[in-house]
Structure formats: C-alpha cells, structure tokens
Amino acid sequence: MDSSHSNLLTSLPSGYRAVIIGASGGIGSALVDHLRNDENCADVIGLSRRHDRLDLTEERSIEAAAKGLGAEPIQLLICATGVLGIDGHSPEKALRQVEPEAMLKQFAINAVGPALIAKHFLPLLDRKQRAIAAFLSARVGSIGDNRLGGWMSYRASKAALNQIVHTTAIEYARTHPQAVLSAIHPGTVRTKLSEPFAGGHRTVAPDEAAASILTALDGLTAEASGTFIAYDGSSIPW
C-alpha cells in the first residue's frame, strides 16, 4: 500500500488503539491495512466471523470478543459490517416482494448486530482522550433523501441503524465528552456486497473508500457526535 495513505487520523492521540469489526470484508480489510500503515497507531485488532467467530446474530460471541480485548481503552472503533442480499433474496423492487424472514434477517445483521457491537465494545472507549466510533450505514437509509423507493428491508434496517447510532451518541456524550460517534456512508464500493447492484453508479476501490472514511472521521468534532455523514464528510439528511 502506498505509504502516502498513512497518518489519516491525526486527531487521535499518538499510540492509539483501533478495533475493526468486519475485518475480513472488502472495506474492513482495507481499513485494517491503512491503520497498520499509520505510525501513530500502536495496535490494530481486526475481528470477523470468518476468522474470530464473531457473529452479529449471536450476542455471546460479541461479548466474548469484547472481553478478549482486555481492559486497555480503545480510541477507534469501526463496525464495517452489513448485508444487502439475504439467502438469495435481492433487494425488493416493490412492496409485494417483501419477505418477512428476509426482512428480519436484514434487521438482525444491519441494525441489531451493530447495536450489540455498541453495547459491548463502546464501554472500552477511552474516557479521557478523543475517541471515534463509526458504523457503516448507507445513503439509501436516509428517509429524507429517498426519492426512488424500493429496497424496503435494506433501507429500513439502515435507517434503524442510524437511529441506534444517534441515540447512543446522546448517552455516551454524558460519560465520554471527547468521543464522537457517527453513522457513515462509504460510497458505492467495489465489493461482493455491492457489485451486483452498482449499475451505472460511480464505484471506488475498497482502499480508496477506507482512506476517505478515515479522513472524514478525523474531521469530526465531539459536537458532531451522532451525525450521519458521507465518505467526503458531507452531512446526509435523516
């Protein structure tokens, strides 16, 4: 990886500790690579179902993974998880295509899972120094920006995630005044998740997306905690 991509998180304290959930995915693995090239990052822990048996639908596995990190605080947490198609079901084009089981699985992975990540990992955030926690959302999760319809289960699950992040940010502002929590849209990234649905949209490589995500998060202040932003740092309507 190009060394010019390192040091993208200058706002975090020197020797910061980072945790990436979903590290085996396209964006997650690219985030891990960038952080390993950051001389200010002392420790990068990548966790995933594939390598660590961290299953978003199994709270015990999430709790065990968090406990396995020990008591040392972390300054960066990114939950780079999500699912678009479920058990062969593509995103719905119309209301008549809604399948209850598929919709529930979307919510289990895209909303409930990240909520459990927050429940067990956010207590490890540094209370005394700046810390960042980000959860990968999607622009289609915006209610205000929805002009095309369709994709009901995915849109609704990501909208639920955004509410979870916003609500959690209010709670954590009371105990972690320097922390910033954010839901972030990574753009249309060339991964297995998005490839079948990219259409004519501009896509970016995971490496580029990861760099943009880290740069955008670096620019957020504690006052911006609980916001929904895009990879370029711009605000997205709820």
Side-chain angles (χ1 to χ4, degrees):
M1 180 176 294
D2 187 343
S3 61
S4 65
H5 287 172
S6 50
N7 302 330
L8 296 170
L9 285 167
T10 58
S11 68
L12 289 181
S14 179
Y16 70 87
R17 191 179 188 213
V19 176
I20 306 299
I21 310 294
S24 63
I27 299 175
S29 60
L31 286 166
V32 169
D33 287 342
H34 275 291
L35 294 169
R36 285 177 176 163
N37 280 284
D38 185 347
E39 60 188 12
N40 288 328
C41 184
D43 190 17
V44 184
I45 302 105
L47 299 171
S48 67
R49 183 177 63 174
R50 182 182 305 172
H51 300 299
D52 308 284
R53 298 182 180 179
L54 191 162
D55 189 335
L56 291 180
T57 64
E58 295 288 342
E59 183 174 8
R60 288 183 180 179
S61 74
I62 296 172
E63 182 179 14
K67 287 182 177 178
L69 298 181
E72 185 180 350
I74 60 176
Q75 289 76 37
L76 176 66
L77 171 70
I78 300 180
C79 183
T81 62
V83 64
L84 183 52
I86 291 286
D87 298 337
H89 293 277
S90 296
E92 311 96 342
K93 294 182 179 179
L95 181 62
R96 65 179 180 275
Q97 295 176 330
V98 169
E99 295 284 346
E101 290 186 5
M103 191 176 206
L104 287 171
K105 287 184 178 180
Q106 287 274 4
F107 272 81
I109 296 172
N110 291 336
V112 179
L116 294 175
I117 293 294
K119 175 182 176 180
H120 293 288
F121 281 84
L122 289 185
L124 298 174
L125 281 186
D126 200 321
R127 288 173 175 260
K128 298 179 180 179
Q129 301 182 86
R130 174 172 167 83
I132 300 171
F135 296 78
L136 259 60
S137 186
R139 186 179 291 275
V140 296
S142 166
I143 296 173
D145 193 50
N146 182 2
R147 296 175 179 83
L148 297 176
W151 290 31
M152 183 173 290
S153 297
Y154 185 69
R155 286 183 184 275
S157 66
K158 287 297 188 178
L161 169 63
N162 293 344
Q163 180 69 285
I164 289 165
V165 173
H166 185 70
T167 301
T168 303
I170 294 171
E171 176 180 339
Y172 265 73
R174 301 172 186 138
T175 56
H176 296 67
Q178 296 188 62
V180 55
L181 279 65
S182 179
I184 185 165
H185 165 58
T188 304
V189 186
R190 291 192 291 273
T191 63
K192 291 181 180 179
L193 181 145
S194 63
E195 184 177 2
F197 312 102
H201 296 285
R202 175 185 177 270
T203 61
V204 297
D207 176 73
E208 181 180 347
S212 297
I213 289 167
L214 294 174
T215 300
L217 295 176
D218 196 48
L220 291 177
T221 63
E223 290 72 25
S225 189
T227 53
F228 179 23
I229 65 169
Y231 57 91
D232 59 1
S234 61
S235 178
I236 300 177
W238 297 113

